[in-house]
Amino acid sequence: MDKTSFLSAIQQIEEEKGLSKEQIIQSIEMAIAAAYKKEYGKKGQIIRAKFDPETDKTEIWQIKIVVDKSMLKEDEEKGEAEETKKEKTETEEVERKIKFNPERHIMLEEARKIKKNIKPGDELKIPLPFHKEYGRIAAQTAKQVIIQKIREAERESLYEEYKKKEGEIVSGIVQRIEKNTVFLDLGRATGVLFPEEQIPNEKYKLGQRLRAYVKEVKRESKGPQIILSRNHPKLVSKLFALEVPEISQGTVIIKSIAREPGSRTKIAVYATDKNIDPIGAVVGQKGIRVQAVLNELGQEKIDVVQWEEDPKKFIANALSPAKIIDVEIGKKNKATAIVAPDQLSLAIGMQGQNARLAAKLTGWKIDIKTSEEETAEKKKEKTSNKKK
């Protein structure tokens, strides 16, 4: 292969595998070193290569580690070998003694004949003749090393790419479904949507395009495992960030979110600019923005409420659509919301969902009472105090 074709092949690998030119060259150098050692080297040797694709020049070195007598194991004849093994400091910082191997070590005195300023522990590079002719086994070794190193570099590149996307949203196509686990084709990688990360009762079809929240990216031997989520609360806030420019610009902030996936979500929003209506910005004209998010979530209900610094106002807002007469703040983050009798069921919600989500959204334990119950309790309390 001529130089132009070789450089073109490197560029093609860069584009297809998403690898840098340096990673590819490093893989080639490791392959050349492995092949050289296989054909011409000896056991224990450290062989390294330097390859320049521009000039097609290859340099080969044998690396020897410089040692002095203090770094070597004691002579076994002196009967001190076992004693040396037992010697340790309290902090376990004593370097392990090494057994001298002429193929990978060189004594300091000899090394300084080649390089004057070299120190113990340094590496001495000894140039070796480059042989263009490699045997079949050596060539096969080189090929295997190149393939292995490029695969390793590709896996690392994918890991780094998707690790940066943790906490973000990705779009993918349903590739396959195995035992209720859904695999999404993300382009260069595959994401996995485990059953516990799915929206309850949501159905998936092959070829369906979905957006999902990147919950975690793990290093695995076969490549990165990208764990996706459709039921994470932040999926909703990230979807709104895509649909609402004011959120992505930072003029509207989602202060808190409470979600029961597939059923209902409450989000509390706040505008940093007093001229902006945060709820109006999030909902959009004729509800177009919130509808776009609803379409992605399978018509999950979403309540958008105004965040307030005053906990009384915030709790009242969080219990919407119920109308709250008053909120009494108690100790240990406990609060009591007072509602008209006809608003009680709305405030509590079906199976207590509205009150439960309001509590999650605000961080307060909320007790809901009707104005009649509150009046009766106060009368009872007054009567009790009079008797005392």
Side-chain angles (χ1 to χ4, degrees):
M1 184 184 288
D2 59 36
K3 185 176 78 173
T4 304
S5 300
F6 187 76
L7 291 171
S8 177
I10 290 176
Q11 187 178 358
Q12 188 177 345
I13 293 171
E14 280 186 78
E15 293 170 357
E16 289 179 2
K17 303 294 185 182
L19 305 175
S20 67
K21 184 178 178 180
E22 290 72 24
Q23 287 175 309
I24 299 166
I25 299 300
Q26 188 180 46
S27 298
I28 294 168
E29 289 172 345
M30 292 179 79
I32 292 169
Y36 190 99
K37 186 175 178 180
K38 187 84 176 179
E39 193 79 357
Y40 305 104
K42 295 179 182 179
K43 189 177 180 180
Q45 284 184 340
I46 302 169
I47 304 294
R48 288 186 192 156
K50 180 69 177 175
F51 174 69
D52 186 347
E54 298 291 339
T55 61
D56 198 26
K57 184 180 178 183
T58 303
E59 295 177 85
I60 305 285
W61 298 282
Q62 179 181 357
I63 302 297
K64 288 194 175 185
I65 299 164
V66 180
V67 296
D68 60 22
K69 290 181 180 180
S70 67
M71 298 168 69
L72 301 178
K73 284 185 178 179
E74 295 289 343
D75 192 345
E76 288 183 1
E77 291 180 5
K78 295 180 180 178
E80 296 177 359
E82 291 302 318
E83 187 179 342
T84 303
K85 288 179 184 178
K86 293 177 183 178
E87 286 181 357
K88 291 182 181 180
T89 64
E90 292 180 2
T91 54
E92 298 289 331
E93 289 179 353
V94 169
E95 292 184 7
R96 292 180 63 188
K97 300 287 185 178
I98 59 173
K99 185 176 180 181
F100 185 82
N101 181 343
E103 294 299 338
R104 62 189 300 131
H105 302 121
I106 184 169
M107 295 304 295
L108 181 61
E109 296 79 8
E110 291 297 316
R112 283 185 172 166
K113 291 177 182 178
I114 302 169
K115 190 176 180 181
K116 290 182 179 179
N117 298 326
I118 204 160
K119 299 174 183 177
D122 288 352
E123 292 183 351
L124 181 67
K125 294 166 70 174
I126 302 170
L128 295 174
F130 177 69
H131 301 271
K132 288 190 176 181
E133 296 299 325
Y134 285 92
R136 182 179 59 84
I137 296 174
Q140 194 174 28
T141 301
K143 182 181 177 182
Q144 287 172 349
V145 171
I146 289 173
I147 292 169
Q148 180 187 344
K149 293 301 174 184
I150 286 177
R151 281 177 181 166
E152 287 175 3
E154 184 181 11
R155 286 195 290 267
E156 186 62 23
S157 174
L158 280 174
Y159 172 79
E160 293 296 338
E161 178 183 339
Y162 283 94
K163 189 69 178 175
K164 291 175 184 175
K165 292 181 180 180
E166 276 187 348
E168 298 298 328
I169 281 183
V170 291
S171 179
I173 295 170
V174 177
Q175 191 178 56
R176 67 183 194 277
I177 303 169
E178 296 177 5
K179 296 180 180 179
N180 297 322
T181 297
V182 181
F183 295 87
L184 269 66
D185 180 1
L186 304 178
R188 291 189 64 221
T190 299
V192 58
L193 191 62
F194 292 114
E196 61 269 22
E197 297 298 338
Q198 297 170 14
I199 295 173
N201 303 317
E202 187 171 50
K203 304 297 180 185
Y204 305 100
K205 297 177 182 178
L206 293 178
Q208 178 185 359
R209 181 169 285 280
L210 286 174
R211 281 173 172 169
Y213 179 79
V214 182
K215 186 178 180 181
E216 187 180 4
V217 179
K218 296 180 179 178
R219 264 196 183 93
E220 299 287 346
S221 57
K222 293 182 180 179
Q225 184 185 48
I226 304 163
I227 300 171
L228 306 175
S229 178
R230 289 271 297 165
N231 64 16
H232 200 285
K234 286 188 178 178
L235 173 67
V236 180
S237 59
K238 292 293 179 179
L239 287 172
F240 271 113
L242 293 174
E243 299 295 336
V244 183
E246 290 86 346
I247 292 177
S248 56
Q249 291 165 8
T251 52
V252 172
I253 299 168
I254 296 176
K255 295 291 263 184
S256 61
I257 185 164
R259 187 184 183 201
E260 293 188 358
S263 180
R264 194 172 184 179
T265 292
K266 283 181 181 283
I267 66 169
V269 294
Y270 170 78
T272 56
D273 185 340
K274 291 180 180 180
N275 297 317
I276 294 175
D277 170 19
I279 296 175
V282 171
V283 172
Q285 191 174 12
K286 295 182 181 179
I288 190 169
R289 290 174 175 176
V290 75
Q291 190 58 50
V293 175
L294 289 170
N295 292 340
E296 183 64 45
L297 298 175
Q299 301 304 311
E300 183 176 309
K301 292 178 182 178
I302 297 177
D303 298 335
V304 184
V305 304
Q306 174 90 35
W307 178 85
E308 296 283 354
E309 192 171 356
D310 183 346
K312 293 179 71 170
K313 291 180 181 179
F314 186 25
I315 291 167
N317 292 347
L319 285 166
S320 68
K323 293 178 181 178
I324 309 302
I325 296 171
D326 190 22
V327 175
E328 296 176 355
I329 299 297
K331 296 177 180 179
K332 297 181 180 179
N333 267 37
K334 290 182 180 179
T336 302
I338 313 300
V339 298
D342 64 343
Q343 294 290 303
L344 181 62
S345 60
L346 197 59
I348 294 172
M350 190 177 292
Q351 297 178 338
Q353 186 184 62
N354 193 59
R356 190 165 57 248
L357 285 172
K360 285 182 183 177
L361 190 72
T362 60
W364 286 77
K365 294 176 182 177
I366 304 170
D367 187 19
I368 301 171
K369 293 180 181 179
T370 64
S371 52
E372 291 177 354
E373 286 175 325
E374 182 69 6
T375 302
E377 282 187 14
K378 284 182 178 179
K379 282 183 179 179
K380 190 177 178 180
E381 201 173 298
K382 283 181 181 179
T383 305
S384 177
N385 289 337
K386 283 180 180 179
K387 286 181 180 179
K388 287 179 181 179

